[in-house]
Amino acid sequence: LMWSANIQAAAEQIELSANTIRVTMAIAIAGALLFFLGVPLLAAGFLSRGHGNLFFGVVDGAVRIALLLLYLYAISFKAEIARLFAYHGAEHKTINAYEKGLPLDVPNVRTQSTLHPRCGTGFLLAVMVVSAFVFGLVGRPALPLLLLSRIVLIPVIAMLAYEFIRFAGRNRNNPIVKVLILPFLLTQKLTTREPDDRQLEVALAAFEAARLEEKEAAA
């Protein structure tokens, strides 16, 4: 996205300095931590008064998942984001066609689903679900340790979520896996849109360029 922003800025003769990008990223990360870690903690602390650690963990995880879904739903109304989501759908359609062994052209790709088990949206939801279990095990220690655990355990949670997504992708035809990944697929309804043919052409060109680069790197 930052690369795309730089390309667009250059086209509009706007210069994005390295410091501007750093500050933007820092604000975005701080905002995400506050929104997806701080707010759930505050809500769980308020709603779980008089209840045990398990209830605290459940509320914390539920609020975090709800915030993620609400955030994705809210930003989808912005025209630029809706257009981005259409390209996301085009990407999934292209990958689905490729994995089915279909000729990679617009007519074939157009018929494919915009949903795919190996998706960043599914990964985000997996992170939220896994974090609910992991943070639930942590319980409710003193506030400094509670905040520290939310940051220190992020790599562990991301690793577990990533492995789940990989497993789901490899076993997508398994009936049990199909049931398990259904919520993650449905979440993609928020972040994908049906693309037009021009967007499909872009997705196909990007995919072929990536394949070519991969072949050249392996040569």
Side-chain angles (χ1 to χ4, degrees):
L1 288 176
M2 293 305 301
W3 179 82
S4 297
N6 279 323
I7 295 296
Q8 184 63 31
E12 298 178 5
Q13 297 183 338
I14 300 173
E15 184 177 350
L16 293 178
S17 67
N19 285 335
T20 299
I21 294 175
R22 291 192 192 99
V23 171
T24 301
M25 292 298 295
I27 293 174
I29 292 172
L33 289 174
L34 178 63
F35 190 66
F36 292 112
L37 292 180
V39 173
L41 279 177
L42 291 173
F46 177 76
L47 295 173
S48 64
R49 290 176 180 174
H51 297 277
N53 290 340
L54 178 60
F55 187 81
F56 175 84
V58 170
V59 173
D60 179 42
V63 171
R64 188 176 297 107
I65 292 171
L67 287 176
L68 172 66
L69 297 179
L70 285 171
Y71 171 76
L72 293 175
Y73 178 71
I75 65 174
S76 68
F77 288 98
K78 192 171 178 60
E80 292 87 348
I81 299 297
R83 185 164 176 261
L84 176 66
F85 286 172
Y87 279 110
H88 189 197
E91 172 204 347
H92 283 189
K93 283 175 175 281
T94 301
I95 295 298
N96 281 324
Y98 171 74
E99 292 181 343
K100 290 179 180 178
L102 298 175
L104 293 180
D105 53 39
V106 170
N108 279 304
V109 172
R110 189 191 300 122
T111 63
Q112 300 305 302
S113 172
T114 59
L115 309 182
H116 193 278
R118 296 191 310 276
C119 172
T121 305
F123 174 71
L124 282 177
L125 182 60
V127 165
M128 298 300 178
V129 173
V130 171
S131 69
F133 286 99
V134 173
F135 292 153
L137 294 175
V138 172
R140 189 164 28 173
L143 183 59
L145 288 177
L146 186 64
L147 295 175
L148 182 63
S149 70
R150 292 311 191 255
I151 297 174
V152 171
L153 290 174
I154 287 177
V156 176
I157 292 167
M159 176 191 69
L160 293 173
Y162 174 74
E163 291 301 328
F164 171 77
I165 294 297
R166 283 190 64 196
F167 172 81
R170 291 195 303 266
N171 300 276
R172 68 173 75 179
N173 294 321
N174 183 291
I176 297 176
V177 173
K178 283 184 177 180
V179 174
L180 289 175
I181 66 174
L182 184 59
F184 302 93
L185 291 176
L186 292 178
T187 305
Q188 294 174 37
K189 293 283 189 180
L190 294 172
T191 62
T192 60
R193 296 289 183 274
E194 281 293 332
D196 58 32
D197 286 356
R198 184 175 177 82
Q199 290 166 327
L200 290 175
E201 290 172 357
V202 171
L204 284 166
F207 181 72
E208 292 297 347
R211 290 178 68 192
L212 178 61
E213 185 174 327
E214 188 177 65
K215 289 178 181 178
E216 291 175 347

